[in-house]
Amino acid sequence: MEQRMANTWRMTVNEKKFIETALESGLRIDGRRPFDYRKLEIKFGKDEGSVEVHLGQTHVMAFVTAQLVQPYRDRPNDGTLSIFTEFSPMADPSFEPGRPGESAVELGRVIDRGLRESRAVDTESLCILSGKLVWAIRVDLHILDNGGNLIDAANIAALAGLLTFRRPECSLGGENGQEVIIHPPEEREPLHLIVHHLPIAVTFAFFSYESSVVIDPTHHEEAVMGGRMTATLNSNGDVCAIQKAGGEAILQGVIMQCLRIAAAKAGAISDMIKKEVDSYNTKRALLKIKRHSTPMDVDRGASDIGLKQNSSVDQMRVDEFSGHHVQRIKQECEEGIAKQSGDVESETKLSDKTLTNRSNEDTKNFIGGPSSWDPYSVGVDSDSLKASLASQGMPMPIEKQKDSKGEETRTEAKPEDAPENNNPKTSPLREAESAEQANGEKTLKDAVKAKNRKSRRKSHSSSGPS
Amino acid sequence: MEIDRLDGRTPNQLRPLACTRNVLNRAHGSASWCQGDTKVLAAVYGPKAGTKKNENPEKACIEVIWKPKTGQSGKTEREYEMILKRTLQSICILTLNPNTTTSVIIQVVNDDGALLPCAINAACAALVDAGIPLKHLAVAICCCLAESGYVILDPSKLEEQKMKAFVYLVFPNSVLSNLPEGQLKVQGEPMEHGIITSVTQGAMPVDDYLHCLERGRAATAKMSAFLRKSLQPKLPID
């Protein structure tokens, strides 16, 4: 035990005095003003619902997964949302593995209260069969690096994860309509969660000296502070939760001022989160369009990455995917949409035959978000894309030649269950479509087609745009 | 007969490797290692005072904590921790700092096959970043055996599930030295042919296991070169 105490980090008296003295003149040790946030970066991972947030030196990772469970007895129509916080020992030498300490429990509770009590995530839409089956959403927060102000960073990570997570769509079937069929992502597009508003946590640190208040304390400031308050607000100015557990007594006027500042900060941060999530969704939507418009990219390896037809759209694609693509990817094309046949994205698409074989396996893998992102796995079904585009009321510029699989009739009927959260994608999709249409016929199309023949098992009809 | 891999690689081709050092601020050493889509983050906290109860206080002790992506830590995680600990113990110089504990924390960011080798590579890079004295580095690789008897390197998760058997192999990294050739051989064989760790899953005939060893050794030579290049300190250009 003594050894563990010897390992804890203690701040020297000189450092404490320095921080306090600087705060008297309104200076913080990292050069910020008292009410400035540190730089916020939100990065999304491979799976849907996985996000990494960097708030200054604080790193937090969030993973969102979903599972079908029985609902609670007193709430048969509601899904559940649970937050699990892991204070990983890599974040701070004083974090011990095993049972969560008080600060870990407090963080989990504050974020949980902000999300659950304010009904930010709509749980009624998670119900499949009342009283029998509902979706249980699980958010795992991993604190990787403790640079101070873990609550705010973890909250942002949880929100970004919930906004980008998509759960598989399921429908009721069977003889008496009681059987639940879960559709793998290749069959039907997974759905976003319905998030009504974004509760943003803003943390204030109080110092006894001259009653200074700062926002977003670093871990040095946290070691010096006299008390802390976290206010969770949304951009409408509603207070979702306030947490001030002990610490020194603060004047009422100061608290009110803090709440006003928090309202302003919450608006700014939720705009930033929405912007990042939107750009991520746009990239993903473009990826889907790309996949369907590049059936000819068989045997195109890295050598083709040099050929760029549409540099503006390709640019972000290559940045995102060149790191993930292997040199030679073998493909078998499923549909022929020739929008950008000369496009250089080397995507992997399997034929229908393998699709049906794999869909059985993939049904087991749906937990944890669909794998439609994985460039090595089955490509996104073009039918679902068509349906989702149609559901947005956009004209369908893409005519596709289909294998006779009967999918057409199924997807035609699909548009009515369009999720409303496709709407933010509408405008970026529209831009992408017009960008593609502007390019016209590709010069390499004929060259690619000849190469294509031998590896395409199915005989596709001509894939010219109509 | 050529085996068709899902992503078009040849049986001997590895996925693209990426290694970043010093990704965390609080940890004494940290590294993130990606093999294709499998990504692991490792952090090291340098020698801390004291060893655990059951450990020998006359030597340095290594503590490994494995954090899965979601869910609770279970038996698989304990097994990985144990394998990693024994592997790292054989490459660290344990007599230098007796009665200390070095903690290695592994966080799985994404699992797409060959998770344990990726973690071992990340842990080595993190130990180097922390400045822990090591005898030599270790490179880890996964070889699997297909139904047809073909040996495939570095499988993805889907490939791993379909294989008859697979083996995780850890070799010492190849040595670049000024000494004459003879000095580094151990009993007539070059040092990098030694096997630090071998974990198999599934049954495979002895000959196939030896094939896997050969292929693994050849591949780890490439990985050693990559590791050496990425761990070299980047000097500022004057």
Side-chain angles (χ1 to χ4, degrees):
Chain A
M1 257 292 112
E2 299 79 33
Q3 285 118 6
R4 290 289 186 215
M5 300 277 287
N7 291 327
T8 52
W9 165 72
R10 281 202 195 79
M11 199 173 229
T12 61
V13 176
N14 287 354
E15 279 185 287
K16 281 194 189 153
K17 281 259 154 60
F18 183 74
I19 294 179
E20 286 173 355
T21 322
L23 275 173
E24 284 176 46
S25 356
L27 291 171
R28 296 171 77 169
I29 46 172
D30 52 359
R32 287 185 282 157
R33 291 172 310 175
F35 296 112
D36 278 347
Y37 255 86
R38 288 174 287 182
K39 182 160 156 257
L40 175 64
E41 278 174 29
I42 304 178
K43 285 186 232 161
F44 296 95
K46 242 191 165 267
D47 289 339
E48 288 176 353
S50 85
V51 60
E52 195 173 328
V53 167
H54 293 214
L55 181 63
Q57 290 194 342
T58 303
H59 293 196
V60 178
M61 221 166 31
F63 295 108
V64 181
T65 49
Q67 221 182 349
L68 279 176
V69 296
Q70 263 199 334
Y72 291 123
R73 284 224 199 101
D74 53 347
R75 303 252 174 134
N77 292 328
D78 276 346
T80 59
L81 171 72
S82 32
I83 316 253
F84 289 88
T85 328
E86 287 261 359
F87 268 39
S88 172
M90 71 164 66
D92 197 302
S94 60
F95 291 166
E96 302 268 319
R99 277 191 65 200
E102 330 178 311
S103 38
V105 174
E106 189 188 3
L107 187 144
R109 286 293 304 141
V110 169
I111 298 181
D112 192 74
R113 246 184 311 147
L115 284 174
R116 186 199 305 279
E117 307 294 328
S118 63
R119 305 198 187 285
V121 178
D122 184 58
T123 46
E124 286 195 4
S125 61
L126 299 173
C127 176
I128 318 254
L129 269 182
S130 168
K132 297 217 184 99
L133 275 185
V134 297
W135 283 110
I137 307 285
R138 180 191 165 114
V139 181
D140 280 279
L141 294 165
H142 296 283
I143 313 286
L144 300 178
D145 208 0
N146 182 12
N149 198 7
L150 296 172
I151 300 182
D152 293 8
N155 197 16
I156 295 174
L159 287 172
L162 287 167
L163 283 174
T164 52
F165 175 67
R166 295 193 305 164
R167 59 173 178 88
E169 190 182 333
C170 34
S171 51
L172 295 174
E175 311 88 42
N176 52 354
Q178 292 294 307
E179 255 179 51
V180 176
I181 310 164
I182 297 150
H183 298 279
E186 299 82 36
E187 273 182 37
R188 294 213 190 164
E189 274 294 294
L191 305 169
H192 280 278
L193 298 174
I194 299 177
V195 180
H196 295 299
H197 61 96
L198 296 178
I200 308 280
V202 179
T203 302
F204 297 88
F206 305 113
F207 298 87
S208 48
Y209 237 79
E210 308 250 317
S211 311
S212 353
V213 182
V214 298
I215 220 176
D216 190 19
T218 61
H219 74 280
H220 290 287
E221 289 166 342
E222 280 183 349
V224 183
M225 68 185 176
R228 170 222 297 267
M229 178 178 88
T230 301
T232 308
L233 290 90
N234 63 13
S235 45
N236 297 338
D238 302 326
V239 175
C240 305
I242 298 185
Q243 171 92 351
K244 183 188 186 305
E248 42 171 66
I250 305 296
L251 295 172
Q252 200 179 343
V254 177
I255 303 262
M256 295 311 293
Q257 188 203 7
C258 288
L259 287 178
R260 276 188 285 268
I261 296 171
K265 293 293 171 186
I269 293 180
S270 66
D271 286 339
M272 207 181 316
I273 297 178
K274 282 191 197 143
K275 198 179 72 161
E276 292 289 328
V277 169
D278 282 344
S279 73
Y280 170 74
N281 284 336
T282 315
K283 277 190 207 165
R284 279 226 342 264
L286 286 175
L287 164 66
K288 275 190 234 150
I289 294 175
K290 286 285 173 182
R291 282 189 173 183
H292 295 300
S293 62
T294 61
M296 324 285 204
D297 285 340
V298 182
D299 300 328
R300 288 266 160 180
S303 55
D304 294 332
I305 300 219
L307 306 164
K308 294 257 183 292
Q309 301 277 353
N310 185 6
S311 56
S312 60
V313 179
D314 283 5
Q315 206 47 47
M316 40 179 171
R317 304 298 319 300
V318 171
D319 293 345
E320 194 177 334
F321 294 103
S322 57
H324 300 296
H325 281 265
V326 193
Q327 296 301 311
R328 282 180 297 117
I329 300 181
K330 196 182 344 180
Q331 303 168 10
E332 292 177 75
C333 302
E334 183 187 309
E335 326 278 346
I337 306 177
K339 270 292 156 182
Q340 300 215 321
S341 46
D343 195 83
V344 301
E345 281 307 317
S346 29
E347 315 279 1
T348 306
K349 286 176 73 167
L350 298 181
S351 67
D352 287 340
K353 209 170 12 164
T354 32
L355 185 78
T356 40
N357 290 342
R358 295 269 313 284
S359 58
N360 298 331
E361 296 171 37
D362 286 344
T363 343
K364 292 191 238 77
N365 299 334
F366 71 87
I367 295 176
S371 57
S372 54
W373 261 133
D374 189 350
Y376 302 137
S377 79
V378 178
V380 176
D381 189 18
S382 51
D383 300 322
S384 41
L385 172 66
K386 180 181 176 186
S388 63
L389 286 177
S391 67
Q392 295 168 30
M394 286 174 59
M396 288 302 300
I398 304 170
E399 291 290 295
K400 303 191 299 206
Q401 315 298 328
K402 285 200 214 316
D403 303 319
S404 54
K405 208 186 166 207
E407 279 181 357
E408 194 148 10
T409 47
R410 189 160 52 84
T411 44
E412 245 47 283
K414 208 202 147 212
E416 63 254 19
D417 38 357
E420 63 273 36
N421 34 44
N422 268 335
N423 285 334
K425 292 195 269 191
T426 305
S427 43
L429 268 178
R430 211 181 295 258
E431 286 164 3
E433 299 266 354
S434 52
E436 289 181 347
Q437 280 166 343
N439 283 330
E441 286 300 298
K442 296 298 164 287
T443 53
L444 292 172
K445 193 168 147 190
D446 302 307
V448 179
K449 237 184 176 170
K451 231 179 178 181
N452 235 12
R453 288 282 177 234
K454 61 176 188 221
S455 52
R456 295 213 312 207
R457 300 222 191 103
K458 308 245 186 296
S459 59
H460 301 283
S461 29
S462 75
S463 36
S466 46
Chain B
M1 182 194 69
E2 265 293 308
I3 273 222
D4 289 337
R5 296 181 81 166
L6 229 58
D7 46 21
R9 288 186 281 154
T10 63
N12 282 342
Q13 192 175 359
L14 304 172
R15 287 177 289 182
L17 301 167
C19 170
T20 334
R21 279 198 301 145
N22 206 13
V23 281
L24 301 174
N25 302 104
R26 295 298 296 277
H28 296 157
S30 55
S32 106
W33 185 279
C34 306
Q35 277 176 217
D37 280 339
T38 306
K39 185 165 173 198
V40 175
L41 179 64
V44 170
Y45 278 95
K48 292 189 279 193
T51 49
K52 289 219 188 96
K53 261 196 182 164
N54 303 331
E55 302 284 343
N56 183 3
E58 293 185 19
K59 288 197 169 156
C61 157
I62 309 236
E63 179 193 19
V64 178
I65 300 164
W66 181 290
K67 291 276 177 200
K69 189 166 144 182
T70 54
Q72 297 277 13
S73 287
K75 295 275 168 35
T76 344
E77 283 74 34
R78 298 280 154 268
E79 187 194 352
Y80 286 159
E81 284 176 10
M82 190 260 308
I83 296 172
L84 205 59
K85 175 178 158 158
R86 302 240 183 111
T87 307
L88 295 177
Q89 265 175 347
S90 63
I91 66 171
C92 290
I93 305 179
L94 294 174
T95 47
L96 263 186
N97 294 319
N99 204 19
T100 60
T101 307
T102 303
S103 303
V104 179
I105 301 113
I106 304 280
Q107 170 71 49
V108 177
V109 177
N110 197 26
D111 178 12
D112 188 32
L115 184 61
L116 187 59
C118 195
I120 294 175
N121 292 328
C124 276
L127 284 171
V128 170
D129 193 45
I132 308 288
L134 304 171
K135 292 180 210 156
H136 52 76
L137 293 175
V139 272
I141 195 156
C142 175
C143 309
C144 48
L145 192 66
E147 297 284 341
S148 48
Y150 248 79
V151 173
I152 289 186
L153 293 180
D154 201 16
S156 64
K157 200 166 187 91
L158 296 160
E159 290 175 340
E160 236 179 31
Q161 284 162 352
K162 291 189 202 150
M163 291 295 144
K164 192 169 87 169
F166 59 86
V167 55
Y168 298 134
L169 291 165
V170 184
F171 297 102
N173 72 328
S174 50
V175 181
L176 259 187
S177 132
N178 295 329
L179 298 174
E181 271 292 325
Q183 300 263 17
L184 292 164
K185 290 207 197 281
V186 178
Q187 289 183 356
E189 282 207 54
M191 194 189 69
E192 53 258 24
H193 282 197
I195 308 170
I196 299 180
T197 302
S198 158
V199 182
T200 61
Q201 194 154 334
M204 59 168 81
V206 176
D207 289 334
D208 287 335
Y209 180 74
L210 296 175
H211 284 156
C212 286
L213 279 185
E214 275 173 44
R215 297 284 184 89
R217 275 198 201 113
T220 50
K222 286 186 249 166
M223 285 183 85
S224 283
F226 169 78
L227 190 62
R228 179 167 273 123
K229 203 171 71 150
S230 66
L231 292 180
Q232 255 170 6
K234 303 213 177 5
L235 299 170
I237 307 169
D238 293 275

